[in-house]
Structure formats: structure tokens, C-alpha cells
Amino acid sequence: MSKAALVQHDAFNLDIKTDPFSGLSYGEYQHRCGLRLLLQPKPGFVRKFAAFGIPFGSIYKNYIDEEGQSRAIPAGSAHYLEHCIFSRDDEGGLMGKLSALGCQANAYTSYVQTVYYFSGTAAFGEAFHIYLDALLHPYLEEDRVIAERGIIGAELDMYKDDPDSFAFHSLMNKLYLLHGAKDDIGGTRESIATIDAQTLKQIWARFYSPSQMQIVVVGDFSEDEQKTLLRELDRVLSAQNWAAAVRYRHPEEPAAVEVAELRLELAVENPSFILGIKDPYPFTKAPLDPIALGKRTMSTALYLDSIIGEGSSLYTKLYEEGLINDSFTAQYLCEDSFAFFLLSCETEQPAEAAERILELLRAELNSAQEPGEIFAIQKKASLGHLLRAIDGVDSLGMTLVQAHMAGLELAEYAKIIDQVSIAEAKASLSFLQNDALRVTVLVAAKGETT
Amino acid sequence: MTAILPDKLKKIAGIIPQSTEELAVWGNKELPEQASFGLALGFFDGVHKGHRALLDRLLWHCKEPQLCSAVYTFDELPKASLIGTAGSGSRIQNAQRRAAYILDEGIDFVFEQVFTPAIQSLEPETFVDYLCQRLRIKYIVVGDDFRFGKARKGDSQLLKSLAEKHGTLVEAVAQVQGGGQAISSSRIRALLKEGRIEEANRLLGHPFSIVGTVIRGRGLARTWGMPTCNMRLDPEQLVLPFGVYASRTRIGRRYYNSISNIGLRPTLNANEKEPLLETYLFDMSADLYDQELEVFILKFQREESHFAKLEEMVEVMRDDISDSRTYLAEQERLQPVGKACGIPYYHLATTRFTQAYLHFCLSIPADSRKNSARSLAMRMVLQASAAYPGRQAFSLAQDEQYGASLDAYNDNEGERQAFEFTVEGITRGMHDETPFQNATLLLFHALRKPLLDANGLFDESLFLTEQNNLLTELKSRMQNKAKYAYDRSFSLLLDGLREGISPKGDPDVIPTLTREEVTQAWFELLREARAAVYVAGNLPTTYHDVLLHELEAFATLNRKVEAESQVRLLPSSLKLEEAREASEYKDIEQTRLVMYWSGLEPFPLIKGSVLNVLNSLYGADSHSLLFEMVRETHGLAYSIHSQVLRHLSMLMVSAGINGGQIDQAIEDCRNQLQAICEGKFSERHFQSSVAMVESKLLALSDSLHGQLLYQMNALEAGHPQDSKEALEALATVRPEDVSTMASGLREAFVYKLLPLVQPEVGVE
């Protein structure tokens, strides 16, 4: 087990931080080009983890090019670019090279970010630089871009076969009028057909600059390993000038929805509904302060768990009435530029269930009686979940990269859990009363032959 | 470490008719009249991993034709095998322990022949005649280094030819490798005599142990606050180097951490002639005089020393105890803690993690109606309980324990329906609470005391709600096209067989279930299922006491201790006819493909490393041939992967196929497997596969849950091993081993789930 201290390097500013709740200490390094590296020691563990976070997801719809012209980004471009980073060559491409080192790699694209990650037990430094090189010098030529299109098309087909995914994307498409959250993360077969090598190269040049990249590494690193990592990273970063961070402004989203109700007939066994209510708050306040956003997310999650989660009397009532079952979800998602509330369930009478659940939920929100005791229990449960999430190398790494991409420190999580109140949550959720911002998608089974 | 107990052992003498020589029979049941036998021949000293491979083969072979399984052995080690050892007093186990370990593997009987001069002088032909005249033997399995008859003239080839005349099939099993060499009793004995205990124990597959009765000593150690149990060494057994050892000790059905000294105690008694085993048990104090203990020796700590001063010795002893405690607490290896109501409890000790995991595993023969009933009951018991009669209360009780979670899963385990109830949570709260322990209690109370009405039936409202919800869940599963394709292909593949009964329940049966039969099925499961508890985490002795107390409470349900709880899980002996194909159409966008290959060796763990490399190379990882060729190079699929179906000894491929290219994809999958059979894969692919398997094994140590599952599965399959042992085996895998294993595969079934509207070929 190594108990190496965090090392310094001239090209990086080092800030050592400690989370009093978990007892974890870590180093936050900032390179002069802007790149941030978080190094989390995990003594006694053989696995090492790294994640590269790029603040570029599917909601970005255009950018300003070198000539100052606004250029449209076709839907699905961020996801397409993620696929192409793993492009193949005679050595199996990035995946092949990492596999040869015994490393498991993957990536995901969300609305707001793309995260690349890997973990392995040996040759970590080598794998790290192979991965970084693939991100900073990707092979984005027409042959590979065309080959990847078929694979992405098959992936989109797979999502179409998933009724939950299809209904969710249909909901988002009706909930938003202009914002990028309107489109599927992967785009459509039509939109990806318009993406070529040139498109991807230009997007990569604007959004994959290290100046806005966040890297998280977790593991038991000796001082020599740390020094090598920092030295090599500095060598790569100092080798050329990188574009400055992109300033992006999302379109102004109207306080309206496209349709109030959408009926879908899909190849399902269970009818269902998914109901969304758009929260106008981020449009007026963006960009949100990360702590404020963290508090908003945490307070609403704990409050919703208290009034309609499995431990609530409302959930039990609805469950016993047969209106909901294990498939029921109620959640609020808040990102920097958009936020919405979701209710969904597979149920025999979707329209009636959606109305009644929302009605009862609104009544809870309006009730003077507050679920103080349950809220306290949910806080305690959240602390337990947090400790569990940071117990292993990979899960700790993923928790850290998500926190840092959201602009939060790990140390702030426990503090936020402690500080949030029911009053804050109720205020945040006041938009739930607004029917003008609501879309209900009702899914019914269509006839099928087997 | 095996959890066998001596009280299940009966020695039945003289049962075999017309016996002229002395022949002892060890077994758990009476010898049936007119029985036909499968036999394993050998001395089986130590019942090590190589022996267990032989016993596995025997059990698997005896399963289908309903043969009695037996080991035929001698009471004494034939002299010729003792060259280089010290004669008597050089066995790894005495005869009783050997028989106990063999029976614990699931073998019906051990025939122990007195190795008389008459027996020793039998020519190979006469020996085989002698054996086959006494017992109806249909099958014999031996190691490929087996020798028999006068002057060890006979070998496995001769045995084959001689036994064939009696209509007996003979199989010779290759020696199992460990640490790069064949595992043998003599190798293990040599390691033990050198004090290389951990290596020896790995090859054994269980720790070396010494059994004896506690005798009265001078009580000196008690005065230093370290009371020890003194035992004489077994005269039949080899003597380990004198010194101090980290150990675990079984008292009755309970195991404790301990430290042991083997030797003459020169500091205390310079004239001592007879070595003693002295053991100090941690966290346990009781008067143990005259009780039988089994001490499992785990690690050599230091040689026995003579100290000039008593104080100096006591000081060193305190350090020894501290080292031993640390070693045992950080071992991260599943060890038995105890057994209650036929339910063994194993614990993986660690100090690196803040959370803990529990798996309570149950399995019972599958039944088309009872599977549905038990599946429904499984849902109900985690919704409410007698102590927490409402769903809300039950849910909050978990949240209150820092969000600890209780869960349940069921699946097929060959011909059995298997259940896993799990607890996951942090071990210590912010104010020194014990959330994991409390959640464990919540689970076991819910299982034993579910929410019943006054008539002892599942609560009606709960029953109706969950009946409906189970149907919804099953329908929901059908909506997932990948799961649908898997379930559907599985049921078509195994149509009409017990292996093919859905473990989740049948949507046609569930609405017809009554509360009476579901209640009955639930308690029958708790009473009769094979069961075991596995826990991983940094937990104190008090946790073990609490959990064992919970297991003992299963007695109130009249749990059968000896029936299913002793069943050894064996791979299915499924014999599939020729390859079949089925196509079905559904309203889907993406074509799904599921392919099955049968013919993996029935006990893949023995060659687990080869199988893991084969699976990685074929389709389990992103450098695999399926991923690189079928997906990336030929662009035929988006998702494609292979996996091993351990209980069916099969390999499966599951894929989502790009529009209209199903036939090319099937052909490509076949071609890639054929390439492996013919060794037509690159060095890069092979090395990447080895590196991936190696990395996953190394990384296991960083995931407490991963370690628990790995060791639990190995133990359930009868081949306990940790990732270190698997890594050793991996280092010996060659490309030709992978080709040989792949060549044994036969295509069994191809299932295509096609869209109603066929897309054009190559559509983008």
C-alpha cells in the first residue's frame, strides 16, 4: 500500500482538499492551459481509474466558427463524435490498444457532457496517454465516419425498440420548443446522415479543447507515478496552443409546450404514461451557481422521496390502489440550462393514473403538514448512499467526475445534504402547479403478430 | 474450508455381502440392495483439488443413470507412494477426516479396504475381477497417473481394457494443475512440512486441519490473559514445523479466529517430549476441556523459540496475536463462520470497505407451478412483514438504516430455481449505529415472519396487489426486446425440460395461484431448500452471533437439516439433439439474434481460466472477434457479446443486428468461432484476452461485492478459489488450449427475432 503524498509540478497549481465527512483527501491540479485534474489517492487498491470530462453534450445546437459565423450542429453530433474517438485501425483502435493493456474503457454522452473513462490494474500511465492522445488527436476521416454511421443507426433502432426510451424522447420533443433538450441524444437516422468528417472535425476543434476538459484519476499512485503523470500531461498540453473555452448561449425557451398530450401506440405489453412539467427557472437564472443547483437538486430529491417515494404514505396509497407499481418514478432533473419534472408508470389506466397522481402530489405540495420526520430519514439514507458510492475505485471516480463536471466538490455533498430544507424544495417545485408547461404522453399497446 | 461435521458420519461395517477381508463402509445412508455403482479409485489423502476434479466427474456421471457414487480406497497408503515421506504419521488427514471430506463432496459411500498382504499381492487382472465381482460397477474414474495391483503394475489403460470385459466404463482424468505443476498429495505434504501453509491450502482447496480433544494443561497462559486450549497431535497425521500459526478453530458448528502454537514449549518446559497444539481463541471464552476441536492452520508466523525470560515471551506472544488478528481481519477470503439448521454461513473479512453485503442463497428443484408461487412469495416478503405490516413502514425501516437496501432475485440454476436475498449497507453509522446488522435482522425477520393473516396465509390485500404487480413485471420484461429474445430462445431451447421452466413465473399460472398454495410454497422453500449465507464486510463477532441466532430460528419452521441442504450443485447433464433453428416475427426495429453452443466441460471452473480467455476472445470484450469483426469490420451488429451459461455448460451469443443482415451475421459468428477452433487468431487478440481476464481478476480485489460474488460462485460450484489462484492458472493458458476447448463446442440452437417489416439490406 502506498501512502504517497501528492506531488507538485511547476505547470500546475495544486490545491489539496479534504472531505471531513468521508475523510478523503485529494489534489486538484490546474494546468496553465485551463485543464483541471483531480487526483484522488486510494491507498491499498490495485485498480486505477481515469475519466476525461468534456462539457459538450447533445443540447448544443450551434457554435461560432473561426470566421465568426454561426454554424448549426446536427442533432446527435456529440454522440457521433464519441463513437469516432474509438475508431478502429489495425491494432483495434483505442479499444484494442487499451484491451492489450488489460484496461476496460467506455464513454457516455448525455445532454450536457461527454465522459470518457477507463480503469485497469497495470500500465495505467501508458493507457492514460493513449486515451488522451485519442481525444486530442482523433482519427476523423470520411471512411471511419461513414462506417460508424451504420453502427449508430443500429443503436438508434435499439432505443426505438425500448418503449420507455421512445416515450421519454417523445415527451422531451413536445416539452421543449427551441432548447437542445428537444432532440434525442443520439439524433435521428436523418440527422446523422448529415454529419460528415468535416462537421466532426470542426466540432472537435471547438469543444474538445483541454482548456475546458476535466480529468479525474483515482488509485494508489506512488510519488514517481504521479510525477510521470503530471510531466507527461504537461508535455502534451504544452505542445500546442489550444482553443479557449467556448462560450455558448442556449436559445431562449418559451414558457409553453408543443402539445399538452401525446398518444402513442407502441409494441408494448403494459400501457403506461410519462408526464413532464418544464421548469422555467434555469431560463431566467442561467448560468446557475453550482452550489445553488446542487441544493435545488438535493432538496427536491429528498422532498420527493418524502412525499411520493416508497417510504411515503402517498406512494403506499397509490400502490395499494393498484395505480402504481415498481415501475413508478417521480423525479426532478435540473441542469445548468434546463430543468423538468417527470412522473412515469406502467399502469392499466394511464390517463386516469397520471391525473390522479399529479392531483394528489399537488395537494401534498399545498399541504401545511410537512413530512419532517421522513425528510430527516431520507437525509440519513442519502448519507449512507454517498458513503457507498465512494467505497470502490470506479464508483468513486464516477462520483467525482460527475461532481466536478457540475462544478461541485465532493466535500460539498454531505454539507448540502445537511443544509437543505423542505421549504427550499417546496419553493423549487412550485412550477408543478403550472399546467401550461406540462406534457403527458400516454402509451397504449398496438396489435402485433408473433 | 469445508463445513463438514463429524456427527453426520457413520461407519457401517460388514455391509457388503460375502466380504472375506475387512472392508469398512463410510456413508450418510444405508447401502441400498441391488445398487449399481460408479467408483473413484485412489488414496485421496487430503481430498485436494485434483481429487475433487475426480469426484466431480464421478458425481456428474452417476447423476443421470442413477448410480450410487462411491470412493474405493485403502486404509493405509501403499508403501510405494510413501517414498520420501516418513511412513506412518505422514498423512494429511486421518481416515475419518478423509471419509468426511469425501462424503461432504456429495459422494454416497467410501469403501475403505484394509491393505492386507493378500490385497497387495493381487495381480492387476485379479484385482479388477475381485472388485467387479463384489460390486455392480458401471463406471470407474481414476487419475491418469493411477497405478494398481501387485508392484503397481497396472495403469489406467490396463484398467480400461480389463474393466471393459465386465461392462464397466473407465475414464482417466488429467491431473489438475496448481501453481504451474500437477497437484498431488505428496507435493502438498512436502509444502506442509516446509511450513508453506498458504500454498498447501490453495492446492488442497481447504485448510489443513488438526482435530483433537482439549486436554488439561498447567493453565499458565490463563494467568497472562491468553487462555489456550491444548490438544495432542494426531499420530496418523504429519507434523507441521514447530512454530506459531494464524488459525481458525471450529467448536461444534461455530468457527473462531485463533492463533496456534505447535511444538514443545521450550521456555515453559525444557523436558517436554511430546509436541502439543496450543490454541488461543479470539473473542471467545468458555471452558472447553474434553471438547473436540478442529484447528484450521492458515499461515506460518514464526518458528518456536526459547526465551530467557517469561516476560519476553509474553511480549512476543502479544505481538504474535496482533499479527494474527490483522492477517485474519484482512484476509478477504470466504471462511465458514458456522452452520445452523443446515445453513452454512461464510464470511469474507476485510478492513478496507465501509459497506457490507449479504447474500442468502436458496435453491430447490424447479416445478412449473411452484416456480410461479415462489416467485410471487419472493415479491411479497420484501414489501411488508409481521413486524412492519405496511409497505411504508417496511420501506422506512430500510431508509432509517442509512439507506440500506434489501433486495431479491431469482434465476435458473440448471434444474433448480434459485433465489438470492441480499442486504447492502454501511457497517457503522455516524453515531456508532450498526445499520448493516439492523438491515440483516430486518431481512431475516421478513423471511421467517412475513405478513400473514389470522389463518396463517399471506395477507390477502398484499397477495392481490403483488399478484398483479408480478404480472406487470413479467409483461414489462417482455417489452425489453433483448430480454424477450433471450427468454423466448431459452424456453424454446429447453422446451419440456426442467431446465427450461421460467424461474420468474408463468403469466398463465400466476392468476390461478391461491393464497394457500403460495403460503405453502414459501414455507416449503424455507424448510427444504438448499441454503447458504455469504457475507462480506468489516464486521465484529457480535454480528456473526446475531446472524447465526437468526439462522437457528429457522428451526421454528421445522427446517429439514439433512435433505436439500446437503445437495451438491452439479451442472445439468442436458443432452441436446442436433442443432435447431427458430425464427419469429415481432413489431420491432432491430433484429435480435441468440445463438447457443453446447459441449463445454461440465465443470468449467477446473479449466476456468481457459474458458475465460475463450469467452474474452470470442465475444465478452471489446477487442473480441465478435466485436471487432462482426460489429466493427463487417458492420453487421450494434450490440454483440458472448457469455457462459455455467449450469448448462453452454456458450451463448446475443446480438442486435443491423437491418436485413441476419444471415450474414449468423455466418460471421460461426466463422469467428471456427477461426478460434483452427487457431486462426492473432497473437494480439490472444494476449489482449489474457490481459483482460488478468485485469478483471486483479481488479476483483478492489470490489468487495465482486470478490464476494466470485468466491461465492466458486464455493457453490464446489471449487473454492480466490483471484490469486485464478491468476496462477491463467498464466498457464496457451492458445492451443483455447482452440481445443472451442473445438468441443457444438451449435445447439439459433434463434432469430425479426421485424414484421424487413428493412433493406445495409440500410443506414
Side-chain angles (χ1 to χ4, degrees):
Chain A
M1 184 188 301
S2 152
K3 293 211 169 150
L6 291 161
V7 302
Q8 303 265 3
H9 188 285
D10 289 347
F12 294 87
N13 274 332
L14 169 61
D15 195 359
I16 297 175
K17 297 185 171 172
T18 301
D19 171 18
F21 176 65
S22 64
L24 291 174
S25 283
Y26 52 92
E28 202 176 284
Y29 295 83
Q30 180 141 25
H31 190 259
R32 41 190 170 224
C33 79
L35 178 136
R36 284 170 76 209
L37 166 76
L38 190 148
L39 199 153
Q40 173 66 67
K42 193 79 174 156
F45 285 73
V46 294
R47 197 177 181 88
K48 293 182 173 77
F49 170 93
F52 306 85
I54 317 280
F56 174 57
S58 68
I59 57 171
Y60 294 83
K61 296 185 77 177
N62 53 56
Y63 66 96
I64 309 296
D65 70 9
E66 295 80 356
E67 283 89 41
Q69 298 295 310
S70 173
R71 286 186 175 272
I73 299 175
S77 294
H79 176 247
Y80 207 133
L81 189 49
E82 177 221 307
H83 266 248
C84 289
I85 293 292
F86 290 94
S87 65
R88 295 275 148 189
D89 55 25
D90 291 342
E91 291 175 24
L94 178 57
M95 280 291 196
K97 288 175 196 148
L98 293 174
S99 289
L101 298 173
C103 293
Q104 291 163 287
N106 213 336
Y108 70 82
T109 306
S110 72
Y111 283 119
V112 294
Q113 61 198 223
T114 310
V115 175
Y116 298 85
Y117 55 95
F118 79 96
S119 57
T121 50
F124 176 84
E126 196 181 337
F128 180 90
H129 288 286
I130 289 173
Y131 214 141
L132 185 66
D133 185 58
L135 288 166
L136 298 183
H137 306 101
Y139 178 80
L140 297 172
E141 299 306 327
E142 209 57 38
D143 57 338
R144 189 61 231 168
V145 173
I146 290 170
E148 209 60 45
R149 195 173 294 143
I151 296 170
I152 297 171
E155 185 180 357
L156 297 180
D157 284 350
M158 190 180 76
Y159 294 133
K160 276 192 201 163
D161 277 339
D162 175 4
D164 292 345
S165 168
F166 189 80
F168 172 73
H169 284 123
S170 304
L171 171 81
M172 295 298 278
N173 189 261
K174 301 300 172 205
L175 204 55
Y176 288 91
L177 303 178
L178 299 172
H179 191 274
K182 184 177 179 66
D183 298 319
D184 287 11
I185 291 170
T188 60
R189 277 191 178 270
E190 293 70 33
S191 74
I192 62 169
T194 68
I195 299 172
D196 58 17
Q198 193 56 23
T199 321
L200 294 180
K201 280 180 186 172
Q202 287 175 343
I203 292 170
W204 170 82
R206 297 303 293 167
F207 292 96
Y208 273 52
S209 168
S211 57
Q212 49 189 1
M213 195 183 277
Q214 304 244 18
I215 301 179
V216 168
V217 292
V218 182
D220 191 353
F221 296 97
S222 67
E223 288 185 14
D224 278 350
E225 286 172 319
Q226 291 180 50
K227 280 179 192 160
T228 310
L229 183 78
L230 294 170
R231 190 182 59 234
E232 286 299 302
L233 189 55
D234 175 50
R235 190 181 57 76
V236 173
L237 297 176
S238 304
Q240 65 188 88
N241 290 323
W242 302 98
V246 179
R247 289 190 170 273
Y248 187 87
R249 196 173 167 79
H250 292 280
E252 276 187 32
E253 176 69 18
V257 295
E258 203 168 295
V259 292
E261 187 178 287
L262 178 68
R263 289 178 183 264
L264 299 174
E265 281 198 6
L266 301 178
V268 294
E269 304 290 330
N270 295 324
S272 66
F273 74 85
I274 178 164
L275 176 159
I277 303 175
K278 186 161 65 174
D279 181 1
Y281 177 77
F283 308 133
T284 57
K285 301 284 179 192
L288 286 181
D289 164 57
I291 300 272
L293 198 146
K295 281 188 170 179
R296 193 174 178 88
T297 304
M298 183 57 73
S299 63
T300 48
L302 295 176
Y303 180 62
L304 285 170
D305 275 346
S306 306
I307 60 165
I308 201 165
E310 288 188 40
S312 68
S313 48
L314 176 54
Y315 186 99
T316 304
K317 178 183 165 72
L318 295 168
Y319 191 93
E320 285 171 357
E321 282 180 18
L323 271 184
I324 62 168
N325 46 49
D326 298 338
S327 67
F328 176 74
T329 57
Q331 54 182 321
Y332 171 69
L333 283 108
C334 185
E335 294 289 354
D336 182 45
S337 67
F338 69 110
F340 56 93
F341 170 79
L342 278 183
L343 271 182
S344 70
C345 193
E346 291 174 19
T347 179
E348 280 304 312
Q349 295 172 311
E352 294 74 6
E355 289 308 317
R356 180 153 161 73
I357 295 166
L358 186 60
E359 180 193 334
L360 291 170
L361 179 64
R362 284 172 170 169
E364 282 286 341
L365 275 164
N366 290 331
S367 162
Q369 211 175 1
E370 292 191 343
E373 198 183 331
I374 301 181
F375 193 75
I377 291 175
Q378 295 308 332
K379 280 190 171 189
K380 198 171 166 189
S382 280
L383 290 174
H385 294 154
L386 177 60
L387 282 175
R388 280 157 64 184
I390 60 177
D391 213 19
V393 173
D394 287 52
S395 58
L396 171 59
M398 290 308 281
T399 307
L400 287 173
V401 75
Q402 278 152 13
H404 278 249
M405 293 296 284
L408 285 174
E409 305 279 345
L410 183 64
E412 277 146 2
Y413 273 46
K415 236 187 285 176
I416 288 174
I417 293 171
D418 183 49
Q419 287 170 357
V420 294
S421 67
I422 292 177
E424 269 175 283
K426 282 180 114 168
S428 299
L429 292 173
S430 59
F431 72 97
L432 292 188
Q433 312 290 351
N434 189 346
D435 266 332
L437 298 177
R438 167 187 161 193
V439 176
T440 308
V441 177
L442 303 170
V443 179
K446 69 174 169 183
E448 61 176 278
T449 314
T450 298
Chain B
M1 194 185 293
T2 182
I4 50 137
L5 298 166
D7 60 3
K8 73 176 211 185
L9 202 65
K10 286 191 278 181
K11 192 167 178 177
I12 316 160
I15 273 194
I16 297 199
Q18 296 131 30
S19 176
T20 49
E21 284 79 28
E22 194 180 333
L23 183 82
V25 182
W26 303 84
N28 294 313
K29 52 188 174 189
E30 297 298 312
L31 262 175
E33 287 177 24
Q34 307 293 321
S36 293
F37 284 92
L39 282 193
L41 304 181
F43 191 69
F44 291 90
D45 186 23
V47 196
H48 57 62
K49 280 183 177 172
H51 296 140
R52 288 153 92 125
L54 224 69
L55 300 179
D56 278 346
R57 197 72 209 165
L58 174 66
L59 283 170
W60 194 69
H61 197 92
C62 291
K63 190 178 166 193
E64 210 41 33
Q66 305 278 306
L67 300 178
C68 266
S69 57
V71 161
Y72 187 93
T73 187
F74 296 112
D75 66 332
E76 273 182 35
L77 206 52
K79 285 242 164 58
S81 336
L82 277 175
I83 294 168
T85 62
S88 69
S90 50
R91 292 169 63 140
I92 299 169
Q93 296 159 320
N94 66 27
Q96 188 190 15
R97 301 309 299 163
R98 174 181 67 176
Y101 273 70
I102 292 171
L103 296 177
D104 199 50
E105 289 295 300
I107 304 294
D108 296 323
F109 299 102
V110 176
F111 299 134
E112 189 185 290
Q113 173 79 56
V114 175
F115 198 52
T116 60
I119 292 282
Q120 287 178 47
S121 61
L122 288 177
E123 291 293 332
E125 294 77 3
T126 331
F127 176 75
V128 173
D129 289 345
Y130 165 84
L131 209 57
C132 292
Q133 280 161 14
R134 269 172 167 63
L135 296 165
R136 252 188 308 279
I137 305 169
K138 298 286 180 199
Y139 171 77
I140 296 176
V141 62
V142 292
D144 61 4
D145 60 338
F146 180 70
R147 294 284 182 281
F148 70 104
K150 188 178 175 183
R152 295 164 52 83
K153 282 189 283 191
D155 62 8
S156 56
Q157 279 306 318
L158 182 63
L159 180 65
K160 270 185 194 172
S161 62
L162 294 174
E164 264 174 22
K165 292 177 194 159
H166 296 272
T168 303
L169 173 72
V170 175
E171 262 193 296
V173 172
Q175 282 187 292
V176 174
Q177 301 290 305
Q181 296 172 49
I183 297 177
S184 69
S185 301
S186 53
R187 187 176 156 207
I188 294 169
R189 283 193 285 266
L191 287 170
L192 289 169
K193 288 183 169 184
E194 288 173 27
R196 293 158 69 182
I197 309 297
E198 287 171 299
E199 286 170 77
N201 286 348
R202 279 212 188 97
L203 302 182
L204 277 168
H206 55 83
F208 174 82
S209 72
I210 301 166
V211 181
T213 305
V214 180
I215 55 171
R216 287 190 185 272
R218 286 155 60 191
L220 281 174
R222 188 174 296 277
T223 60
W224 311 317
M226 293 174 270
T228 56
C229 304
N230 298 346
M231 284 158 50
R232 291 202 172 86
L233 299 176
D234 186 334
E236 280 190 69
Q237 205 173 19
L238 60 81
V239 179
L240 298 180
F242 291 171
V244 177
Y245 294 86
S247 61
R248 277 175 64 81
T249 302
R250 179 178 61 76
I251 307 169
R253 294 166 188 274
R254 181 72 200 270
Y255 296 72
Y256 298 91
N257 284 343
S258 51
I259 185 166
S260 301
N261 184 75
I262 297 173
L264 300 168
R265 305 180 295 167
T267 310
L268 300 179
N269 190 349
N271 301 320
E272 185 71 64
K273 293 281 188 300
E274 186 194 358
L276 281 184
L277 170 66
E278 260 188 307
T279 301
Y280 168 55
L281 287 102
F282 305 152
D283 311 316
M284 197 276 171
S285 60
D287 180 359
L288 297 170
Y289 290 124
D290 301 325
Q291 283 203 45
E292 190 190 73
L293 306 189
E294 183 168 16
V295 179
F296 298 88
I297 307 293
L298 302 182
K299 187 179 187 275
F300 178 73
Q301 290 192 194
R302 66 165 175 86
E303 286 176 7
E304 191 173 49
S305 317
H306 178 267
F307 296 95
K309 290 183 184 164
L310 215 52
E311 296 76 23
E312 197 187 326
M313 185 186 81
V314 173
E315 195 58 35
V316 172
M317 278 168 66
R318 292 196 196 285
D319 289 346
D320 289 339
I321 289 170
S322 167
D323 291 349
S324 184
R325 277 188 186 275
T326 305
Y327 171 78
L328 293 165
E330 294 176 350
Q331 219 188 359
E332 298 193 349
R333 193 178 170 103
L334 270 178
Q335 303 275 9
V337 178
K339 194 172 188 180
C341 289
I343 307 171
Y345 162 34
Y346 298 87
H347 175 230
L348 189 151
T350 179
T351 55
R352 291 190 300 153
F353 298 89
T354 55
Q355 60 186 328
Y357 299 89
L358 175 144
H359 282 244
F360 179 41
C361 305
L362 299 151
S363 82
I364 196 159
D367 174 282
S368 53
R369 198 165 172 87
K370 285 182 180 173
N371 269 20
S372 294
R374 292 186 289 240
S375 203
L376 174 53
M378 180 187 88
R379 280 190 69 90
M380 283 191 280
V381 296
L382 290 191
Q383 301 294 335
S385 68
Y388 296 95
R391 203 178 186 289
Q392 183 183 12
F394 194 75
S395 176
L396 284 176
Q398 292 172 64
D399 291 339
E400 178 69 38
Q401 302 308 323
Y402 286 88
S405 49
L406 310 187
D407 230 323
Y409 310 90
N410 58 4
D411 210 342
N412 272 332
E413 222 167 54
E415 300 159 5
R416 306 169 73 83
Q417 186 187 24
F419 294 84
E420 279 188 25
F421 292 89
T422 62
V423 181
E424 187 182 339
I426 56 171
T427 50
R428 194 153 288 280
M430 292 169 75
H431 308 290
D432 270 354
E433 308 101 312
T434 53
F436 183 74
Q437 179 173 312
N438 297 342
T440 301
L441 288 172
L442 189 63
L443 173 72
F444 281 98
H445 289 179
L447 299 182
R448 283 189 294 102
K449 295 179 179 172
L451 185 59
L452 305 179
D453 67 9
N455 300 317
L457 302 177
F458 272 115
D459 176 78
E460 188 171 13
S461 158
L462 178 69
F463 177 83
L464 293 172
T465 306
E466 294 310 325
Q467 193 175 32
N468 201 34
N469 286 342
L470 178 57
L471 281 170
T472 306
E473 181 193 312
L474 292 176
K475 285 185 191 171
S476 187
R477 189 175 162 86
M478 289 168 77
Q479 288 173 189
N480 179 317
K481 303 305 182 294
K483 282 184 184 163
Y484 174 84
Y486 170 73
D487 288 350
R488 184 75 185 130
S489 63
F490 199 79
S491 86
L492 288 171
L493 170 73
L494 302 168
D495 188 28
L497 299 171
R498 192 177 259 194
E499 287 88 342
I501 302 173
S502 168
K504 312 285 179 200
D506 180 342
D508 294 331
V509 171
I510 292 160
T512 69
L513 292 170
T514 62
R515 276 198 296 151
E516 285 77 4
E517 68 181 314
V518 174
T519 310
Q520 200 179 345
W522 173 249
F523 286 106
E524 184 186 75
L525 176 73
L526 296 188
R527 232 179 14 250
E528 297 184 5
R530 180 187 190 279
V533 181
Y534 303 92
V535 174
N538 187 0
L539 296 159
T541 307
T542 46
Y543 176 85
H544 305 319
D545 294 335
V546 164
L547 180 48
L548 281 168
H549 181 73
E550 283 304 306
L551 298 181
E552 276 157 15
F554 276 79
T556 59
L557 307 173
N558 300 319
R559 180 171 160 79
K560 288 183 187 173
V561 175
E562 294 298 329
E564 280 288 320
S565 65
Q566 306 295 344
V567 172
R568 168 74 196 280
L569 290 182
L570 294 172
S572 172
S573 47
L574 196 63
K575 292 191 178 55
L576 295 166
E577 303 303 322
E578 60 199 42
R580 288 184 294 139
E581 275 197 29
S583 299
E584 292 187 325
Y585 293 86
K586 206 170 168 63
D587 187 358
I588 52 174
E589 295 282 335
Q590 191 187 43
T591 302
R592 302 292 320 180
L593 168 67
V594 190
M595 297 177 81
Y596 294 86
W597 278 271
S598 63
L600 284 176
E601 292 199 25
F603 294 92
L605 269 170
I606 297 171
K607 290 188 179 170
S609 301
V610 181
L611 180 58
N612 288 338
V613 174
L614 166 62
N615 194 28
S616 173
L617 176 65
Y618 187 45
D621 291 308
S622 57
H623 69 278
S624 66
L625 298 180
L626 290 183
F627 194 89
E628 270 198 31
M629 302 309 292
V630 183
R631 177 184 141 130
E632 294 287 314
T633 306
H634 303 145
L636 298 172
Y638 168 67
S639 61
I640 186 158
H641 71 277
S642 64
Q643 73 179 78
V644 176
L645 305 178
R646 187 161 56 97
H647 296 291
L648 296 176
S649 307
M650 294 179 104
L651 190 70
M652 184 188 85
V653 168
S654 172
I657 305 298
N658 294 3
Q661 295 175 300
I662 180 79
D663 293 331
Q664 296 95 306
I666 293 170
E667 210 42 47
D668 210 359
C669 291
R670 287 176 180 145
N671 291 342
Q672 301 312 323
L673 189 63
Q674 188 57 34
I676 297 178
C677 295
E678 294 170 9
K680 292 179 181 165
F681 49 86
S682 68
E683 178 68 11
R684 171 176 75 80
H685 278 109
F686 177 73
Q687 290 304 339
S688 291
S689 304
V690 173
M692 286 306 283
V693 175
E694 185 183 15
S695 176
K696 285 177 196 170
L697 286 169
L698 283 168
L700 267 182
S701 73
D702 286 351
S703 157
L704 185 59
H705 199 218
Q707 277 200 78
L708 177 66
L709 291 179
Y710 184 85
Q711 292 189 36
M712 186 178 107
N713 287 333
L715 202 63
E716 286 270 309
H719 294 273
Q721 70 169 192
D722 60 19
S723 50
K724 280 182 205 150
E725 292 165 82
L727 283 165
E728 273 180 16
L730 179 66
T732 66
V733 176
R734 300 161 308 164
E736 50 268 38
D737 299 330
V738 177
S739 295
T740 306
M741 185 176 273
S743 301
L745 292 170
R746 292 178 304 279
E747 190 174 308
F749 188 47
V750 177
Y751 174 77
K752 302 182 228 178
L753 183 63
L754 301 157
L756 289 171
V757 182
Q758 284 289 302
E760 289 170 37
V761 174
V763 158
E764 285 178 0

